[in-house]
Amino acid sequence: MRIDSVTDATFTAEVLESDKPVLVDFTAAWCPPCRAMNPILDEIAADRDDLRIVKLDVDDNQSVAAQYSVLSMPTFMLFQNGQPIQTLVGSRPRKRLELELEQALVQEPAGR
């Protein structure tokens, strides 16, 4: 799967109304750790059909970033059934990110 960009205008439809979990990468063009995470996110997106990954540029989309109190980049927020179930701040190795995502997805109660 490829990584799409979302905006303040498309966030509800693309993230909150998604039928599968969505990892939102709150990012900024000027952020070196954000750029360092791009290949890792690309690999995860290519390997997983059960998780959608999207990017939201916080400089161009300040409303959603403010709504979820995103202050540092990169911030990764995992949404399931329209709700944020996990927030991770800062870059990390692929294996650690995947483990953290798996733990959050397993803990989320079914049918919510």
Side-chain angles (χ1 to χ4, degrees):
M1 293 185 80
R2 72 174 205 265
I3 297 176
D4 294 316
S5 292
V6 295
T7 65
D8 286 342
T10 63
F11 188 83
T12 297
E14 297 291 326
V15 176
L16 302 182
E17 296 174 355
S18 176
D19 60 347
K20 67 169 118 177
V22 181
L23 179 65
V24 179
D25 174 16
F26 289 89
T27 189
W30 49 264
C31 169
C34 299
R35 289 194 300 273
M37 289 301 298
N38 286 338
I40 292 169
L41 294 173
D42 288 339
E43 290 172 6
I44 294 172
D47 291 347
R48 297 192 61 149
D49 291 331
D50 63 331
L51 176 71
R52 183 164 183 229
I53 301 175
V54 298
K55 293 185 174 292
L56 184 131
D57 185 307
V58 297
D59 290 330
D60 295 335
N61 301 281
Q62 295 178 6
S63 178
V64 169
Q67 178 181 352
Y68 291 100
S69 303
V70 174
L71 301 174
S72 300
M73 271 59 70
T75 292
F76 305 100
M77 197 168 292
L78 182 61
F79 287 80
Q80 189 168 30
N81 300 318
Q83 298 296 318
I85 62 169
Q86 184 181 51
T87 301
L88 305 167
V89 179
S91 61
R92 56 217 338 103
R94 177 182 175 168
K95 291 207 180 294
R96 179 174 161 203
L97 178 58
E98 288 180 311
L99 179 63
E100 291 167 327
L101 294 173
E102 284 303 319
Q103 289 173 340
L105 291 169
V106 168
Q107 291 176 3
E108 177 66 10
R112 224 174 77 143

